[in-house]
Amino acid sequence: MNPVPQHRTLLGVDVIGSAQLPPHLLAAVPATVSKLLDAALSENGIERDAVLSIESPGDGTLLVLPSELLGATIDAAVHLDQLTTEHNRWHKPEVRLRAAVHLGPVGEDGGFYQARITHARLLDAPEFKALLKRCRAEGGEDTANTALIVSSEALDTAFSGNHTRLARRGEFGSLPVSHKEYRHNAWVRVPGFDPRTLTSFTSAPAAPDPVARVVNTVHGTNYGIQAGDIHGGITLHTGRRP
């Protein structure tokens, strides 16, 4: 029988669309994300020596922190939007970030723990990606520089008391996530969009592009013409049939 590992706070950050950057800017992405993340953590009372482990798979970053820093970690993820927006205004490469926070038992050996799997499912959830894409489409290119998804376990714990300084419970909207074996409700925050709007985005698809519709009404003819939708060009001929 193995003892249950201690609960840890998991923070993951992933860069959106980095593969579209030219090589000379792509090379600067890891340092850019690290700088933004360091600033967000530090300004919310989390120094680097408090981080239990850090991994940098691809263009993302995964941090494991003590459970007691859950509230400060969610604050840091919220603050990340302000820092990212300011960075994009003045510096290259511009980055857009998805962030995920989860709370669960994680051992010190960096092994294959369920909490890590859940956290990865949240960060990579298709529903989360689609929501951010919809927000960008509705709000324009200068909006939604970051988006945050938080598991129900982490959200309930963080807002069970006075554990956050910046984050507010009312800023998060519910998002059903079904990614591989993970099927639960998560909670999302996208700056510039209230929870009701976020919920409406996830419950109804974006309106399709309008399709031209031509309705013909024909009077005074003996040819018995009936028309509904017409695709392609239309040529009208008038006059009597020879």
Side-chain angles (χ1 to χ4, degrees):
M1 181 180 66
N2 296 321
V4 177
Q6 291 190 22
H7 275 57
R8 304 296 189 189
T9 297
L10 299 172
L11 170 63
V13 177
D14 198 15
V15 181
I16 303 168
S18 60
Q20 301 174 6
L21 293 172
H24 69 284
L25 291 179
L26 182 60
V29 166
T32 299
V33 174
S34 180
K35 180 180 178 181
L36 292 170
L37 195 52
D38 281 349
L41 293 171
S42 178
E43 292 180 30
N44 287 279
I46 303 176
E47 299 302 331
R48 271 287 178 163
D49 58 5
V51 179
L52 302 175
S53 70
I54 182 169
E55 303 171 15
S56 298
D59 56 2
T61 301
L62 171 62
L63 285 76
V64 179
L65 304 102
S67 60
E68 59 265 27
L69 293 178
L70 173 63
T73 299
I74 293 179
D75 280 342
V78 168
H79 190 196
L80 197 58
D81 182 74
Q82 177 187 338
L83 297 173
T84 303
T85 300
E86 186 68 15
H87 166 84
N88 289 347
R89 186 174 291 123
W90 303 106
H91 304 284
K92 297 291 184 180
E94 294 184 17
V95 293
R96 293 186 294 123
L97 305 173
R98 292 194 313 275
V101 175
H102 181 48
L103 178 71
V106 176
E108 299 179 359
D109 56 359
F112 207 58
Y113 293 94
Q114 183 61 48
R116 285 178 172 267
I117 298 172
T118 296
H119 182 256
R121 299 291 184 260
L122 288 169
L123 187 59
D124 199 44
E127 297 88 351
F128 185 36
K129 294 179 179 180
L131 175 63
L132 182 53
K133 183 178 180 180
R134 178 74 183 275
C135 290
R136 297 278 293 183
E138 296 289 340
E141 287 300 312
D142 293 332
T143 60
N145 286 302
T146 67
L148 171 62
I149 186 169
V150 180
S151 68
S152 292
E153 298 93 329
L155 191 91
D156 290 344
T157 302
F159 294 109
S160 64
N162 186 26
H163 304 309
T164 63
R165 181 176 59 89
L166 298 178
R168 298 290 180 267
R169 175 66 181 83
E171 298 173 337
F172 290 83
S174 177
L175 177 67
V177 172
S178 178
H179 185 27
K180 297 184 178 180
E181 76 290 339
Y182 183 80
R183 290 175 174 81
H184 292 283
N185 269 359
W187 298 87
V188 290
R189 179 187 185 274
V190 182
F193 296 88
D194 61 83
R196 181 175 297 181
T197 300
L198 295 177
T199 300
S200 71
F201 286 172
T202 60
S203 60
D209 293 334
V211 177
R213 179 180 176 86
V214 179
V215 179
N216 292 340
T217 302
V218 181
H219 301 282
T221 179
N222 296 323
Y223 303 144
I225 299 175
Q226 181 178 349
D229 292 346
I230 299 178
H231 304 279
I234 302 174
T235 302
L236 299 179
H237 299 279
T238 60
R240 297 179 181 276
R241 182 170 55 181

